[in-house]
Amino acid sequence: MMRILALLASVALLGACSMLPGGTSNSDKPRAGNAQSVAATPAARQCLGKLNATGARFIAKADAYGGKGCSNINTVSLSAMRGDRSQFEVTNLGTVSCPVANTFAAWTRFGVDRAARQILGSPIERIETMGSYSCRNVAGSSRRSAHSTADAVDVSAFVLKDGRRISLSGGWNSSDRREREFLRVVHKSACKRFGTVLGPDYNAAHRDHFHLERGDGSFCR
């Protein structure tokens, strides 16, 4: 009887090892292909699933709070998007809210990559950004920017597979008619998806990028 009790105690001890720090369980493993599940709510998990279905390459990030009015809630680190025919990189973006990432995914595929192939004759290789999250106010005001909650993206240039680089600073008023047309087409496409879109025609502060912001309104400049 004593030998049986000792055997049962050993089995129980082995079973408990999986609960010790450093143990790995199924919940620790990445889910949905490339999206690690750290979302706290069903809506957040649904957003990550939708983003994964676009073919984007990303990592879901844990929620975090910065200064007053600044936070990273339901955000992802986004590094690549999917076009009709291939995947292309997104650089320097940092964390961005999952809803904005989904809108960005639709815009880059249907508004940017297709326009590049149709107007410029080459698909997109890379989209260059100035980032998303930044704990700061709207310039010249005391109101927090959408960047302070990772709900905005600043896009500065598009690099094509044939090597050409179309920047906002050099291409908006370029001598090349096709570059000007491409940038205005993708700007118009962004206005159909984002709540606020600001570009070179808005003011000098946006002469070198598109500001793409989440929202229910329709402010397009």
Side-chain angles (χ1 to χ4, degrees):
M1 176 64 71
M2 294 296 294
R3 293 178 64 183
I4 294 175
L5 291 174
L7 178 61
L8 290 173
S10 297
V11 172
L13 181 60
L14 289 172
C17 287
S18 64
M19 303 298 292
L20 295 174
T24 300
S25 68
N26 288 335
S27 63
D28 295 324
K29 297 177 181 179
R31 297 181 181 180
N34 52 7
Q36 186 174 355
S37 181
V38 296
T41 67
R45 290 192 292 271
Q46 183 180 23
C47 186
L48 291 177
K50 181 180 177 182
L51 182 60
N52 190 71
T54 69
R57 187 167 71 237
F58 65 94
I59 298 173
K61 308 297 288 185
D63 290 350
Y65 295 87
K68 184 178 180 181
C70 298
S71 62
N72 279 278
I73 306 299
N74 187 22
T75 60
V76 298
S77 177
L78 187 63
S79 58
M81 311 302 300
R82 183 76 187 179
D84 286 336
R85 301 175 183 175
S86 62
Q87 198 173 60
F88 47 85
E89 294 182 348
V90 179
T91 62
N92 196 44
L93 187 55
T95 55
V96 60
S97 72
C98 182
V100 169
N102 271 301
T103 304
F104 190 70
W107 175 65
T108 56
R109 178 175 183 176
F110 303 115
V112 177
D113 189 49
R114 289 185 180 181
R117 287 188 282 109
Q118 293 169 6
I119 299 171
L120 300 173
S122 176
I124 292 291
E125 174 74 16
R126 183 173 70 253
I127 294 179
E128 298 177 357
T129 82
M130 295 179 174
S132 176
Y133 176 74
S134 177
C135 186
R136 59 180 173 82
N137 293 340
V138 175
S141 79
S142 59
R143 180 170 58 88
R144 282 299 194 195
S145 165
H147 286 288
S148 66
T149 52
D151 281 320
V153 175
D154 289 342
V155 174
S156 57
F158 307 89
V159 179
L160 308 180
K161 281 191 177 294
D162 65 11
R164 282 178 291 171
R165 181 177 181 272
I166 315 300
S167 69
L168 269 294
S169 59
W172 190 255
N173 293 312
S174 171
S175 59
D176 188 325
R177 177 190 58 79
R178 293 182 302 168
E179 289 188 10
R180 297 196 308 272
E181 179 184 359
F182 166 72
L183 291 176
R184 281 159 177 78
V185 166
V186 299
H187 177 268
K188 184 177 180 180
S189 175
C191 292
K192 296 177 180 178
R193 292 175 169 84
F194 292 92
T196 298
V197 176
L198 307 176
D201 284 345
Y202 179 60
N203 61 17
H206 294 85
R207 66 187 180 281
D208 57 357
H209 68 278
F210 289 143
H211 170 88
L212 312 175
E213 181 179 327
R214 178 187 179 190
D216 298 325
S218 182
F219 188 83
C220 176
R221 297 291 186 275

